[in-house]
Amino acid sequence: MKLRRKRIKPIGLDDVTIIDDTRLRKAITAASLGNAMEWFDFGVYGFVAYALGKIFFPSASPGIQMIAALATFSVPFLIRPLGGLFFGMLGDKYGRQKILSITIVIMSVSTFCIGLIPSYAAIGIWAPILLLIAKMAQGFSVGGEYTGASIFVAEYSPDRKRGFMGSWLDFGSIVGFVLGAGVVVLISTIIGEERFMEWGWRLPFFLALPLGIIGLYLRHALEETPAFQQHVDKLEQGDREGLQNGPKVSFKDIATKHWKSLLSCIGLVIATNVTYYMLLTYMPSYLSHNLHYSEDHGVLIIIAIMIGMLFIQPVMGMLSDRFGRRPFVIVGSIALFCTAIPAFMLITSNVLGLIFAGLLILAVVLNCFTGVMASSLPAMFPTNIRYSALASAFNISILVAGLTPTVIAWLVEASNNLFMPAYYLMVVAVIGLITGICMKETANKPLIGATPAASDLDEAREILQEHHDNIGQKIEDISEEIQRLQQKRTRLVDQHPDIKE
């Protein structure tokens, strides 16, 4: 029986998606604001951990208070995989925009509620229990927040600018962190340390509600991403039940068919977020508790470092569009391994300028990771499972990163070795290096399962020509391979006495 070859329609100019600049800017703003609010809470919590330790765990020693407060920060990461699975499946079924509107509501309300919790002196053991419940609600919503936001931006971005556009997502993270830390310092300075410990620590958490309302308004006004809309259109044409039932691929199938992408995702998330939490969540406590700087002094140093990171972040994203994502992961990992100990030698020198220099080294290395992560992760999976796969892999690996502040605080206390954070970062650097070597390059390529995307018509023509040239090159490569195999076959036939051409 002769097999019929199904005729595939040639890709033409109409198949290239032209991204509207206004919609793109709105998408990036809405996604970044939600991410900023997530990290606003992380920033506030990291910088008031010393106060929360005294308020919610008053009977413990200062060292145990710090560990307990940071443990409350880390425990919600156990909930994030559940949130990732839940919101990931819904995001692949109902769309990215709807889920991002839900996550920002949960996140803003739970953060606001932290400011309402009475102290241990007022309600006893219920105080830390309520704090933990609020943090777990945050963890559940955040499980779908960052991955959804990164997918949203990636699916809205032109192929040639995805790195630059994606870098603004973590730009929002840093802005949120700076804002959270700045609010803590400002309130503490205005009302004084004593009043801050009494009631002032609550005020930063109250700001989450108005920020959440603004974020909800921006996200609710957005349209669905072009890539997901194309996926919906295909289902409507060929598989109406598929649209109604959602993704039919289980996590087991994802792990079997996309295991390389899953491992790359896990490695990149661990390398990025361990460094992130080490520098921006743990270091304020390290400077104040272990190096005996005043809380405000340590906070101001970190804020200055983070402001510097804001200028580097979009530059890294823009350069990754030109040179690729993998070089930044590889170079960042090597730099982290080589500079971790020298950086902490500077940080523990008791000289302000050298402390700043040590933290700046770690910040620049961190920018190598954050500059490419939001554009790299969504490109690893096809559209129909992108949210489910990425949210699952991201939040499973974030368990390791989320435990960083607690584990490092315990290691330093147990060993009395101030260089434990450096050794921890060196191990993470090895993971990052292996990831960078093994991951596929995705810069300037369409997302899997989506048509090419361009900023304008001229760029669309260039992309289409490059696509056709690439097909032509692949045809030539296949023809050469066929010729090589044919020659090999001829040689083998010549060696066999009973086989004739």
Side-chain angles (χ1 to χ4, degrees):
M1 182 179 67
K2 187 177 180 180
L3 293 176
R4 283 188 172 183
R5 183 167 64 91
K6 184 179 179 181
R7 180 66 178 173
I8 299 175
K9 178 185 174 184
I11 295 179
L13 195 60
D14 293 339
D15 296 306
V16 180
T17 303
I18 307 296
I19 304 296
D20 180 69
D21 284 343
T22 302
R23 291 173 60 190
L24 177 59
R25 285 194 295 270
K26 287 181 179 179
I28 292 173
T29 301
S32 299
L33 182 60
N35 216 39
M37 206 195 78
E38 171 192 344
W39 283 92
F40 173 82
D41 169 67
F42 286 166
V44 169
Y45 198 92
F47 288 110
V48 302
Y50 71 96
L52 296 179
K54 297 175 182 177
I55 291 166
F56 290 101
F57 310 97
S59 59
S61 65
I64 299 300
Q65 285 179 353
M66 182 62 64
I67 294 173
L70 292 174
T72 308
F73 169 86
S74 297
V75 166
F77 285 85
L78 299 172
I79 306 299
R80 286 183 64 158
L82 297 178
L85 288 170
F86 179 77
F87 290 116
M89 288 188 293
L90 292 180
D92 282 332
K93 182 176 181 179
Y94 298 110
R96 293 44 166 136
Q97 183 264 347
K98 294 182 179 66
I99 300 307
L100 287 176
S101 297
I102 295 172
T103 57
I104 199 169
V105 170
I106 299 174
M107 193 161 50
S108 59
V109 171
S110 58
T111 304
F112 177 81
C113 287
I114 292 177
L116 299 176
I117 300 173
S119 66
Y120 187 94
I123 60 173
I125 191 64
W126 282 104
I129 290 175
L130 290 175
L131 175 63
L132 185 60
I133 291 172
K135 294 298 294 180
M136 291 173 72
Q138 283 181 337
F140 189 76
S141 64
V142 170
E145 172 61 33
Y146 180 84
T147 50
S150 64
I151 290 170
F152 198 79
V153 172
E155 292 184 346
Y156 251 113
S157 300
D159 296 337
R160 292 184 175 181
K161 297 180 180 178
R162 188 166 292 116
F164 178 65
M165 298 304 175
S167 68
W168 291 101
L169 193 62
D170 283 291
F171 182 94
S173 302
I174 301 169
V175 168
F177 223 103
V178 170
L179 182 61
V183 167
V184 171
V185 173
L186 181 63
I187 293 175
S188 178
T189 303
I190 292 175
I191 67 176
E193 184 70 19
E194 185 177 347
R195 288 192 180 90
F196 184 83
M197 292 295 296
E198 289 178 2
W199 52 267
W201 64 270
R202 301 178 184 275
L203 300 181
F205 293 105
F206 290 154
L207 289 176
L209 194 60
L211 288 175
I213 293 173
I214 296 171
L216 177 62
Y217 170 78
L218 291 174
R219 290 184 174 184
H220 186 70
L222 287 173
E223 299 178 19
E224 191 51 79
T225 67
F228 185 79
Q229 192 58 51
Q230 290 171 12
H231 172 59
V232 171
D233 293 341
K234 288 179 182 177
L235 287 177
E236 287 179 340
Q237 292 173 7
D239 184 10
R240 296 181 184 275
E241 289 186 5
L243 179 62
Q244 186 176 6
N245 298 332
K248 299 178 181 179
V249 182
S250 65
F251 183 76
K252 180 181 178 181
D253 292 331
I254 294 173
T256 303
K257 298 177 182 178
H258 302 276
W259 63 272
K260 290 183 179 179
S261 295
L262 284 173
L263 290 178
S264 295
C265 174
I266 290 170
L268 183 55
V269 171
I270 288 175
T272 304
N273 284 279
V274 167
T275 311
Y276 214 134
Y277 293 133
M278 179 78 75
L279 180 63
L280 303 184
T281 302
Y282 175 69
M283 287 311 297
S285 301
Y286 181 80
L287 291 172
S288 60
H289 178 70
N290 297 106
L291 301 184
H292 309 296
Y293 281 87
S294 68
E295 284 82 5
D296 289 348
H297 197 175
V299 166
L300 289 173
I301 294 174
I302 298 295
I303 290 176
I305 292 294
M306 290 160 63
I307 291 174
M309 289 178 65
L310 290 176
F311 293 96
I312 301 173
Q313 178 70 13
V315 175
M316 292 292 190
M318 183 171 58
L319 290 175
S320 76
D321 284 325
R322 181 174 181 181
F323 299 108
R325 323 289 189 224
R326 292 178 66 244
F328 284 89
V329 178
I330 293 171
V331 171
S333 300
I334 294 173
L336 183 61
F337 186 86
C338 296
T339 62
I341 291 178
F344 272 86
M345 290 175 66
L346 295 173
I347 292 169
T348 56
S349 65
N350 290 323
V351 179
L352 181 60
L354 296 180
I355 293 173
F356 186 86
L359 293 171
L360 184 61
I361 291 171
L362 296 178
V364 173
V365 171
L366 177 58
N367 274 129
C368 291
F369 296 129
T370 58
V372 302
M373 186 169 74
S375 55
S376 297
L377 297 181
M380 294 180 181
F381 303 99
T383 304
N384 64 315
I385 61 166
R386 183 169 292 132
Y387 209 147
S388 302
L390 184 54
S392 301
F394 184 94
N395 289 295
I396 289 172
S397 51
I398 207 74
L399 287 173
V400 178
L403 293 172
T404 296
T406 307
V407 172
I408 291 300
W410 177 80
L411 286 174
V412 173
E413 286 289 326
S415 66
N416 200 28
N417 187 340
L418 295 177
F419 282 85
M420 276 296 174
Y423 305 143
Y424 200 88
L425 288 176
M426 292 175 72
V427 174
V428 169
V430 174
I431 297 174
L433 180 59
I434 295 172
T435 302
I437 293 172
C438 296
M439 66 185 284
K440 292 182 180 179
E441 184 56 73
T442 59
N444 299 311
K445 296 178 181 179
L447 295 172
I448 303 172
T451 59
S455 300
D456 52 44
L457 192 59
D458 290 336
E459 186 176 291
R461 292 191 180 97
E462 293 177 8
I463 289 175
L464 188 62
Q465 184 60 49
E466 289 178 2
H467 179 72
H468 290 160
D469 291 343
N470 187 42
I471 291 177
Q473 183 61 51
K474 287 181 177 179
I475 292 173
E476 289 183 14
D477 293 341
I478 292 172
S479 298
E480 291 177 2
E481 182 65 15
I482 291 173
Q483 185 178 6
R484 186 187 67 80
L485 291 173
Q486 185 63 44
Q487 292 173 351
K488 183 177 180 181
R489 179 183 182 277
T490 301
R491 288 195 303 270
L492 293 173
V493 168
D494 292 341
Q495 297 174 30
H496 199 287
D498 298 327
I499 298 179
K500 305 296 181 182
E501 286 285 358

